Amino acid sequence: MSEETAPVHRFLTYRLARVQSKLNAQASKLLRAKAGLSLAQWRILSLIGGNPGTRATDLTRISTMDKGQFSRKLKTLVDDRLVVVSVDPQDHRILRLRLSDSGQVLYDRTLPHMRKRQADLKALLGPGEEEAFLGVLDKIEQTLERDLSRPADASG
Amino acid sequence: MSEETAPVHRFLTYRLARVQSKLNAQASKLLRAKAGLSLAQWRILSLIGGNPGTRATDLTRISTMDKGQFSRKLKTLVDDRLVVVSVDPQDHRILRLRLSDSGQVLYDRTLPHMRKRQADLKALLGPGEEEAFLGVLDKIEQTLERDLSRPADASG
DNA sequence: TATTGTTATACTCTATAACTATA
DNA sequence: TATAGTTATAGAGTATAACAATA
């Protein structure tokens, strides 16, 4: 009964949303200051930096973005000469993505700050807490993946 | 070293962002189907439903929204006659918020679905997992609260 | 002067889907 | 026909700040 009457703002999802919103604000502030990038731009830049030569489709799959969003953000990075696009010689539909020299410089300069941010977050957590936390996230995500492919009333 | 070289998309924050994005999509779908409300509208409606007569400022504080966002979303609920606003008799700057009859009906009809969604999420978790998860969220949030009031380079 | 709340502005994000080109 | 990626459109969310009314 105490769970039944828990106030809405104590819901797991509310608290996740609050934390996520603050994490976003923090990362955005940091990226604007250090690299002049939006969070979405950094996501793409870092995905390319960590996986040079990968196809756009694969990066779309790894990130949460759909291909439309991805394409538009990618365009801003290409316009700023941070990313270089080349057509796959075998299959001309496929784009291979790499950082330009200046993109690489920006990536190399920014990544340590972002890693430090992750490390600072991890340092908050006790032994085993990170694994437990990620485990819960994975469980939830897997369930949601099944759920989101079904009609709205299937989950109550 | 293995942590130092963890790919960006394995970052804690990335995985939180993915899960949060999917939770949002699920809740939005559910709310659109069951109540014709946006997630932000539901947040405000449910905060008022659970705290009748509360001032707008207090609800703003509880939710993540700033007062501007809150005010605009609230307006849509008032326009739809789901929320009734009255001026505090003592202090005429303060608004007291309550659900209208139809707002209460919608709230009472929608809340069980949202509670069930929470219960379904909780049911995924083993004993102690929820507490551990929420504990980590709280730790992170407290740190972020301190951090966000400081300049960007303070957190590395 | 400070607080409560509204409004304006501009920008970003998201969702959906039509569209081009290649296969 | 199917896949890779682009573009269009509209709606929703976010950030900042100027503003009016009240205290």
Side-chain angles (χ1 to χ4, degrees):
Chain A
M1 190 58 183
S2 74
E3 303 214 353
E4 283 286 302
T5 58
V8 173
H9 68 272
R10 301 302 299 170
F11 278 2
L12 183 65
T13 48
Y14 271 55
R15 298 170 73 179
L16 248 175
R18 278 213 315 270
V19 170
Q20 173 57 21
S21 149
K22 286 171 185 164
L23 281 170
N24 261 355
Q26 188 201 37
S28 298
K29 198 166 87 166
L30 182 56
L31 284 167
R32 198 170 47 246
K34 298 290 183 190
L37 294 173
S38 72
L39 184 50
Q41 284 179 316
W42 166 252
R43 285 211 169 109
I44 293 176
L45 191 80
S46 61
L47 283 170
I48 297 172
N51 306 276
T54 308
R55 310 150 36 151
T57 307
D58 289 335
L59 299 184
T60 301
R61 226 184 329 265
I62 294 173
S63 68
T64 327
M65 290 174 231
D66 73 21
K67 59 183 183 173
Q69 289 170 50
F70 186 94
S71 171
R72 231 163 310 131
K73 286 301 160 196
L74 177 63
K75 187 173 186 311
T76 69
L77 295 173
V78 173
D79 288 349
D80 290 348
R81 310 264 185 257
L82 297 171
V83 170
V84 176
V85 175
S86 57
V87 174
D88 185 284
Q90 258 71 55
D91 184 338
H92 291 191
R93 293 172 306 180
I94 294 174
L95 298 183
R96 300 287 171 182
L97 306 177
R98 294 179 181 283
L99 300 184
S100 69
D101 288 350
S102 61
Q104 188 70 44
V105 167
L106 190 64
Y107 175 64
D108 290 342
R109 204 178 67 207
T110 309
L111 185 58
H113 295 293
M114 300 307 276
R115 283 205 193 282
K116 173 160 188 334
R117 177 170 173 261
Q118 300 296 318
D120 288 347
L121 285 176
K122 284 190 188 183
L124 290 175
L125 310 184
E129 271 193 318
E130 188 197 350
E131 289 69 22
F133 188 75
L134 292 177
V136 169
L137 282 183
D138 284 345
K139 267 194 208 178
I140 294 175
E141 188 171 14
Q142 281 163 31
T143 302
L144 288 172
E145 233 144 46
R146 284 200 302 279
D147 199 68
L148 285 173
S149 51
R150 294 212 299 269
D153 50 20
S155 74
Chain B
M1 190 57 184
S2 74
E3 305 212 350
E4 282 288 301
T5 58
V8 174
H9 68 273
R10 302 301 298 169
F11 277 2
L12 184 65
T13 48
Y14 270 55
R15 298 170 74 179
L16 249 176
R18 278 213 314 269
V19 170
Q20 174 58 19
S21 148
K22 284 171 185 166
L23 281 170
N24 261 354
Q26 187 200 40
S28 299
K29 197 166 86 166
L30 182 56
L31 284 166
R32 197 167 51 246
K34 299 290 182 189
L37 294 173
S38 73
L39 184 50
Q41 286 179 315
W42 165 250
R43 284 210 169 112
I44 293 176
L45 192 80
S46 60
L47 283 170
I48 297 173
N51 307 278
T54 308
R55 311 150 35 152
T57 308
D58 290 334
L59 299 185
T60 301
R61 227 184 328 264
I62 294 173
S63 68
T64 326
M65 290 175 233
D66 73 21
K67 58 182 184 173
Q69 291 170 48
F70 187 92
S71 172
R72 232 163 311 132
K73 286 302 162 194
L74 177 63
K75 187 173 186 311
T76 68
L77 296 172
V78 173
D79 288 348
D80 290 349
R81 310 261 187 259
L82 297 171
V83 170
V84 177
V85 175
S86 57
V87 174
D88 184 285
Q90 257 71 54
D91 185 337
H92 290 191
R93 293 172 305 182
I94 294 175
L95 298 184
R96 300 286 170 182
L97 306 177
R98 294 179 180 285
L99 300 184
S100 69
D101 288 350
S102 60
Q104 188 69 45
V105 167
L106 190 63
Y107 176 63
D108 291 342
R109 205 177 69 208
T110 309
L111 185 58
H113 296 294
M114 300 307 275
R115 283 206 193 284
K116 175 162 188 333
R117 175 168 174 264
Q118 301 296 318
D120 287 348
L121 285 176
K122 285 189 186 182
L124 289 175
L125 310 183
E129 271 193 317
E130 189 196 350
E131 288 70 23
F133 188 75
L134 291 177
V136 169
L137 282 183
D138 284 345
K139 265 193 209 179
I140 295 175
E141 189 171 11
Q142 281 162 31
T143 302
L144 289 173
E145 234 143 46
R146 284 199 304 279
D147 199 68
L148 285 173
S149 52
R150 291 213 301 270
D153 50 20
S155 74

